Amino acid sequence: MRKPLRVPLLLLALLSCLLMTPLLSQAEEATGQSATEEPVKVNASTALPALQKRLDSLKQRVSAAKADKQFTILNDDAQKLVAEADKLAVSLTPQLAQVQAQLDVLGPAPAPGTLTETPQVISQRKQLNSSKALLTMQIEQAKAVVVGAQNLSSQIAGLRRDALKTQIALNTGSILGESFWSPVFDPSDKDAARFDEFGTQVSDAWHQAWSEDWRVGSTIYLLLALGIGLFGRRAMDRPLNWVLPRWLPQGRFRRSFLACFTTLSTTLTLGICMQLLCYTFTRLPDTSQWVMEFADQLVELTYFSAVIAGLGIALLSNSHPSWRLPGIADPLAKTLSSFPILLATFIFIFGIIEQLNALVGASIAATLFGNGLAALLVALNCLIAPIRVNRIRRKMSAEGEQTEARSTVAGLIHLVISLTAFVILLALLIGYIPLARFVTFELLWIGLVVCSLYLLIHFVVDLCETVFSPATQTGKILKSTLSLNDRHLSLAATLFSALGKTSLLLMAAVALLNGTFGTTTPMELLIKIAEMWGGKGLEGMNIIPAHAVNSVLCLVIGWYVLRSTRRWLDNDFLPKTNMDRGLRASLVTLFTNVGYVLIIMLTLSMLGIEWNKLAWIVSALSVGIGFGLQEIVKNFISGLILLTERPVKVGDLVSISGVEGDIRRINVRATEIQLGDKSTVIVPNSQLISQNVRNATMGNAQGVATIALTFPLDIDPEQVRNLLLEAYKLHESILENPPPSVSFKELGPSGIVLSVTGYVNSPRMVSSTRSDLLYEILKMLRAAEISLSQTQTMVLEQPVHKLPTEE
C-alpha cells in the first residue's frame, strides 16, 4: 500500500522544481541581475557592528571636541558613515527581494489536513523565512545607523554654531568675499528646505488665524496690539504730566522718576503689543512647535530691544529737556534721538536672525551671514553717532553757543564706543566674524547694564533724599513718629542710598559677568547672586576669552566700588557718627586692605585659577619671607596690630626716637608722622610696636603749661605767688579744674625759684599757651616793679706789679 503513495510524492517534488526554475529567472530579471553577473555580496553580519562601532566612536569624539576644525572633520566622518550605511542597506535590498521571490514561488504553507509537502520544501521555506527575517533586521539596523549619523551631523552643526560664539580667533572669511553672501545669492538646498518649511508653518498659522472660526478673535487681538503699540505710551504720558507736579515734591526725584517711568512705559507697551500679536497665532490648536518657540523668542527679544529704546528716550528726554538726567545740550540730544530706536531695531534683527538660524538648524554659512550682517549694522550705528555728535559740537563752538561741560568719564565712553565700533568693522573686513559677533555682544550688553545702572542709581539716591528729607511729608512723619532729628534723617538717607547703590552695583556686576543676551531678568540676577553667595559656579572656571573679560570687569568694578565705598565711609557716613577721627581712619584703612585682598581673590577666581594649585607660590613666599621679606611681613603684621589694638591712632601726638609729631596716616607698611614744621617722617610700623613710644594724647590726656622763674632773695614770695596765679587764671586756655598752682622749687644763693603750673585741654596747646603766659607775666612783673634775678658774674683780675725805679 505504501509504494503507490511514494510515487506521486516524488512526481510532485519534481514538478515543483521544474516550476521554480522559470520563476526564479523572472525574479532575477526583476531585481536587475543578469544570469551571468552575480550581485556583489556584502557580509552584513560583520559590516553592521563595525558601522555601529564607528557611530558610537563619533559620538564620543563629538562630546570632547571644541575647535571648529575638529567639528568639520567629525561632520565629514558622519557624512561618510551615512553614505556607507545607506550603501549597505541598498545592497541588502536585492537579496531581500530575491528571498521574497523564492518564498512567493513556494507559496504559503498548506493548511493542516490538506496536501502534505515534502521535507525538502518545508526546510527550504523555513530557511528562506529565516533569511528574510535576518535581511529585514539588517536593513533596519543599517537605516538606523543612517538616521543616527544624520542626527549626529545635525548635532555637530548645532555645536559648531555654538562654538562660533567662543572661537573668536577663527577666520571665517571677509564680508566682502563671495562665500559670505552665498546664503543670499546661492543658498544651500537644506537651508532653503528648512526655511521653506518654517515659512509654510507660519503661513498655515496665518491662514488658520483668519479662518472663519478664529477670525473675530484674531481681529480683536490685532487691533489691541496695534492700539497699545502706537498709542499706549502717549496715553500713559498724559496722566503722568498731571501727576508729577501735584503729587511729587520738588527736587531731583521728579526727573529720575520721569526717566524710569519713560523706560518702563516704552518697554511695557512694545512688549505687550508683541505678546498680543504672537498670541493671535499661538492660541490656535494646530500651531506647530517651531511657530510656538519662535513666538516666545520674539517676545523676549522685543522686551530686550524695548529696554534699549526706552533707556535712550529716557536719558535724552527730548520731550522734557529741563528734566534731562545727563548734562547733554539740546542740539546734541535732538541729533541722537533716532539712534536709540535704530540700535534697538538692529538688536531686534540681530536676535531674530540668530534665534531663527538656531531654531531651523541653518548651516554655518547662514549663521555667519546673520551674525556678520547684524554686527555690521550695530557697528555702523555706534560709529556714526559719535561722528555726528562731534560735528554738532564743533558747529556749536564755531557759532559761539555753549556746549555741555564734558567730563572725563563721558569722553572715555565716547572714545570706547568709537574704538569698539572700529574694531568690529575691522574684524568683519579681515574675516573674523565670530570676533565681531563677540565684541558686538559685549558692547551691547555692557552699554545696557551701564545705562540701567546710571538711571537706577539716580532714582535710588533721589528717592532716599526725598523720603528722608525734613522738608517733605514723609520726613516729617518719620521725625514725629520715631522722634528723630535732622541729623538722624540725613544719616538714614546716606545709609539707605549707599545700600541701594551697593545692591545695584552687585546686580550690575553679576549681569555683566553672567548675563545672557536678551534673556537676563531681575529674578535670574537675584538667583545668580544667591548661588554665588553660596560658592556655586566659582569652583570649576577655566581661563577662556569670556572669563578673561569677566576678570577685567571684576577688577575694574571691584576697584571702583571699593574706592567709592571708602570715600563714602570717610566723608559721608562715619563723620555723622560719634567716633573719633582716629577710629574712623583705622576703620577705613582696615576696610580698604580687606577689600583689596577680596578683589584680588575674586579676580583670580574669575580667571579660573584654583588656590590648591598655588602651593608652589606659597612655598616660594615662605622662603622669601625667611630671607628678604621678613621686614615687610613684620611691618605688615605690625600695621594690622596698630589698626586693631590702636595703641596709637591717627591724630595722636607721639614721640619716638627723638621724633615728635602728629600721626597723619597708618599704612600697611609704615606710619606717617607730621612734625611741627609740616614735614613728614615715615616710621616703620614695627618700631611703633617694639620701641618705647610716648603718646601725649592717649586717653584724652591734658597738656601741662609749666613756667619756672628765678627771683631775687629780697622779694615777697606771697606777692609773686598771687601775681603768677592771677596771670594763669586770666588766660582763657587754662582750665579751672584742676586749678593752677605755684610751688617753691629752690632757695639758693642765686635767688628764689618758683614754678607755676596750669592745665590745658590738649598737649598741642601747651606751646602757644606758655608763650602767651610769659608775655603776660613779664608785663605784670614790670607793673609791680618786681625784677627777675640776674645772673651774678664773678670777674677775677690779676694785680699789676710795678717795677722798682732807679734813683
Side-chain angles (χ1 to χ4, degrees):
M1 296 295 294
R2 292 183 178 177
K3 289 182 180 180
L5 292 175
R6 187 178 300 174
V7 174
L9 291 176
L10 292 174
L11 293 175
L12 184 59
L14 291 174
L15 182 61
S16 63
C17 290
L18 292 174
L19 291 174
M20 285 175 60
T21 302
L23 291 176
L24 289 175
S25 298
Q26 294 177 4
E28 290 179 357
E29 292 177 0
T31 56
Q33 301 293 337
S34 62
T36 59
E37 183 180 359
E38 293 292 334
V40 179
K41 298 293 184 180
V42 180
N43 190 356
S45 301
T46 305
L48 279 174
L51 293 177
Q52 185 64 42
K53 186 176 181 180
R54 286 174 57 188
L55 179 60
D56 296 337
S57 176
L58 279 177
K59 290 181 179 179
Q60 294 179 357
R61 291 165 59 191
V62 167
S63 61
K66 294 182 179 179
D68 183 75
K69 186 177 181 181
Q70 295 175 335
F71 287 124
T72 303
I73 296 174
L74 291 173
N75 190 35
D76 294 339
D77 293 342
Q79 294 295 333
K80 291 179 181 179
L81 183 60
V82 169
E84 294 180 9
D86 187 66
K87 182 179 180 181
L88 178 61
V90 170
S91 65
L92 293 177
T93 302
Q95 300 180 26
L96 180 62
Q98 183 177 1
V99 172
Q100 183 63 42
Q102 293 177 2
L103 286 173
D104 293 339
V105 170
L106 290 178
T114 59
L115 184 64
T116 304
E117 294 180 330
T118 62
Q120 292 82 0
V121 173
I122 295 174
S123 176
Q124 187 177 8
R125 180 181 288 108
K126 184 177 180 180
Q127 184 178 2
L128 290 174
N129 284 326
S130 300
S131 300
K132 178 183 177 182
L134 179 61
L135 289 171
T136 302
M137 181 183 66
Q138 290 175 346
I139 292 174
E140 290 178 354
Q141 291 179 355
K143 291 181 178 180
V145 172
V146 171
V147 173
Q150 289 176 346
N151 293 335
L152 184 61
S153 178
S154 300
Q155 183 181 0
I156 292 173
L159 293 174
R160 189 181 176 190
R161 282 194 300 271
D162 296 336
L164 289 175
K165 300 177 183 178
T166 57
Q167 295 178 2
I168 59 178
L170 180 65
N171 194 321
T172 56
S174 172
I175 60 173
L176 302 179
E178 183 180 354
S179 59
F180 177 78
W181 299 96
S182 60
V184 177
F185 300 104
D186 187 21
S188 63
D189 295 336
K190 291 183 179 180
D191 288 341
R194 290 169 180 171
F195 282 107
D196 289 341
E197 183 180 358
F198 177 74
T200 302
Q201 294 180 7
V202 173
S203 178
D204 293 340
W206 174 265
H207 290 301
Q208 185 181 1
W210 294 104
S211 62
E212 185 176 357
D213 297 335
W214 304 93
R215 186 178 304 165
V216 177
S218 300
T219 304
I220 294 174
Y221 285 117
L222 184 60
L223 292 177
L224 283 175
L226 293 177
I228 293 175
L230 296 176
F231 308 105
R233 199 168 72 87
R234 296 180 183 177
M236 297 173 68
D237 285 342
R238 290 183 178 179
L240 179 67
N241 294 331
W242 184 86
V243 167
L244 278 180
R246 290 172 174 81
W247 287 10
L248 294 183
Q250 294 183 355
R252 295 182 300 177
F253 181 62
R254 287 186 179 181
R255 62 176 188 173
S256 57
F257 180 83
L258 176 64
C260 291
F261 182 83
T262 302
T263 305
L264 186 62
S265 62
T266 304
T267 304
L268 289 179
T269 52
L270 294 179
I272 293 173
C273 171
M274 184 57 67
Q275 277 187 313
L276 292 174
L277 186 61
C278 292
Y279 187 70
T280 306
F281 306 99
T282 57
R283 65 190 176 92
L284 304 176
D286 297 333
T287 304
S288 64
Q289 187 64 28
W290 273 10
V291 176
M292 298 285 288
E293 294 180 3
F294 181 72
D296 294 338
Q297 296 169 0
L298 198 63
V299 171
E300 292 179 357
L301 287 171
T302 301
Y303 275 107
F304 184 79
S305 304
V307 171
I308 299 290
L311 284 172
I313 295 172
L315 294 177
L316 295 177
S317 187
N318 286 314
S319 57
H320 300 86
S322 60
W323 289 1
R324 185 179 297 127
L325 283 177
I328 304 176
D330 290 343
L332 298 179
K334 293 178 180 179
T335 302
L336 295 174
S337 60
S338 60
F339 284 95
I341 300 176
L342 287 176
L343 184 60
T345 304
F346 294 153
I347 292 172
F348 184 77
I349 297 174
F350 185 6
I352 288 297
I353 292 176
E354 185 170 348
Q355 297 293 344
L356 188 58
N357 287 333
L359 182 65
V360 301
S363 63
I364 301 300
T367 303
L368 291 174
F369 174 77
N371 293 342
L373 184 61
L376 177 64
L377 295 176
V378 173
L380 291 176
N381 187 79
C382 295
L383 191 62
I384 293 174
I387 293 176
R388 291 189 61 180
V389 168
N390 289 334
R391 184 183 304 171
I392 296 297
R393 186 178 285 110
R394 288 194 299 267
K395 182 179 179 181
M396 293 175 63
S397 300
E399 294 176 354
E401 299 181 11
Q402 185 177 3
T403 60
E404 78 282 1
R406 193 171 184 180
S407 64
T408 304
V409 177
L412 181 62
I413 293 174
H414 183 279
L415 180 62
V416 168
I417 292 176
S418 302
L419 290 179
T420 306
F422 178 76
V423 169
I424 294 173
L425 292 177
L426 182 63
L428 292 173
L429 290 176
I430 63 178
Y432 289 93
I433 295 178
L435 175 62
R437 187 261 177 200
F438 174 77
V439 176
T440 304
F441 166 80
E442 294 295 330
L443 175 63
L444 294 176
W445 185 244
I446 293 174
L448 174 63
V449 174
V450 170
C451 290
S452 302
L453 179 64
Y454 174 81
L455 181 61
L456 292 175
I457 283 180
H458 275 277
F459 178 80
V460 169
V461 173
D462 296 342
L463 177 63
C464 292
E465 291 181 355
T466 302
V467 170
F468 295 101
S469 174
T472 60
Q473 189 66 27
T474 54
K476 295 177 181 178
I477 293 174
L478 290 174
K479 287 181 64 175
S480 61
T481 304
L482 302 177
S483 299
L484 303 176
N485 53 31
D486 293 347
R487 186 179 67 86
H488 292 153
L489 290 178
S490 177
L491 184 62
T494 304
L495 179 60
F496 280 100
S497 61
L499 290 176
K501 288 192 291 186
T502 303
S503 301
L504 291 174
L505 285 171
L506 179 61
M507 295 185 67
V510 175
L512 287 176
L513 300 176
N514 300 281
T516 55
F517 186 77
T519 58
T520 299
T521 62
M523 185 57 66
E524 292 176 353
L525 291 179
L526 293 176
I527 295 174
K528 190 64 180 180
I529 291 172
E531 291 178 352
M532 293 181 65
W533 181 263
K536 183 178 180 181
L538 298 177
E539 67 278 357
M541 291 188 174
N542 297 319
I543 299 179
I544 60 177
H547 293 166
V549 174
N550 291 345
S551 63
V552 174
L553 290 175
C554 179
L555 181 63
V556 173
I557 293 173
W559 174 78
Y560 175 77
V561 171
L562 182 60
R563 190 187 67 170
S564 301
T565 307
R566 176 181 178 179
R567 188 186 302 116
W568 171 77
L569 284 173
D570 198 11
N571 300 331
D572 297 335
F573 184 74
L574 291 179
K576 298 177 182 179
T577 61
N578 295 325
M579 299 180 185
D580 59 90
R581 188 163 62 95
L583 179 58
R584 296 201 304 264
S586 299
L587 289 177
V588 171
T589 304
L590 187 61
F591 171 80
T592 304
N593 295 336
V594 174
Y596 280 131
V597 173
L598 293 178
I599 290 173
I600 294 174
M601 293 177 64
L602 284 176
T603 303
L604 294 178
S605 297
M606 290 297 173
L607 280 174
I609 299 176
E610 299 178 1
W611 293 101
N612 55 4
K613 296 181 180 179
L614 299 180
W616 61 275
I617 297 180
V618 177
S619 301
L621 285 177
S622 62
V623 176
I625 290 172
F627 289 97
L629 300 179
Q630 55 181 348
E631 289 296 328
I632 297 177
V633 174
K634 182 169 65 175
N635 290 324
F636 175 76
I637 300 300
S638 300
L640 295 179
I641 294 174
L642 292 177
L643 292 174
T644 53
E645 291 188 358
R646 301 177 69 242
V648 293
K649 59 183 182 296
V650 175
D652 285 352
L653 179 63
V654 298
S655 176
I656 177 174
S657 300
V659 175
E660 184 175 6
D662 297 325
I663 294 180
R664 292 305 179 194
R665 182 179 298 173
I666 300 176
N667 297 319
V668 175
R669 189 192 65 83
T671 298
E672 299 177 6
I673 300 177
Q674 188 177 29
L675 304 183
D677 58 355
K678 302 303 180 181
S679 63
T680 301
V681 176
I682 299 175
V683 179
N685 291 330
S686 59
Q687 294 186 13
L688 295 174
I689 298 297
S690 60
Q691 295 185 10
N692 296 328
V693 180
R694 176 179 176 268
N695 191 341
T697 56
M698 187 175 183
N700 295 324
Q702 296 175 343
V704 181
T706 302
I707 299 175
L709 299 173
T710 304
F711 296 94
L713 294 173
D714 58 350
I715 66 165
D716 184 1
E718 291 294 333
Q719 180 186 4
V720 176
R721 176 177 177 275
N722 295 332
L723 188 144
L724 294 177
L725 289 176
E726 182 181 0
Y728 265 68
K729 291 179 180 178
L730 290 177
H731 198 281
E732 60 182 5
S733 299
I734 299 297
L735 300 177
E736 296 181 359
N737 189 17
S741 61
V742 177
S743 58
F744 204 123
K745 288 293 185 180
E746 185 179 351
L747 176 62
S750 61
I752 299 173
V753 180
L754 298 179
S755 177
V756 57
T757 301
Y759 293 89
V760 292
N761 285 323
S762 172
R764 295 183 180 87
M765 301 173 61
V766 171
S767 179
S768 60
T769 303
R770 191 171 181 272
S771 176
D772 295 340
L773 288 171
L774 284 173
Y775 280 114
E776 189 65 26
I777 289 173
L778 287 177
K779 186 187 301 182
M780 297 175 68
L781 289 175
R782 287 177 181 176
E785 297 181 354
I786 300 175
S787 62
L788 295 174
S789 177
Q790 296 180 355
T791 304
Q792 297 180 358
T793 304
M794 181 180 295
V795 180
L796 299 178
E797 295 182 358
Q798 185 176 2
V800 179
H801 299 280
K802 294 182 179 182
L803 296 175
T805 58
E806 296 180 356
E807 294 181 355

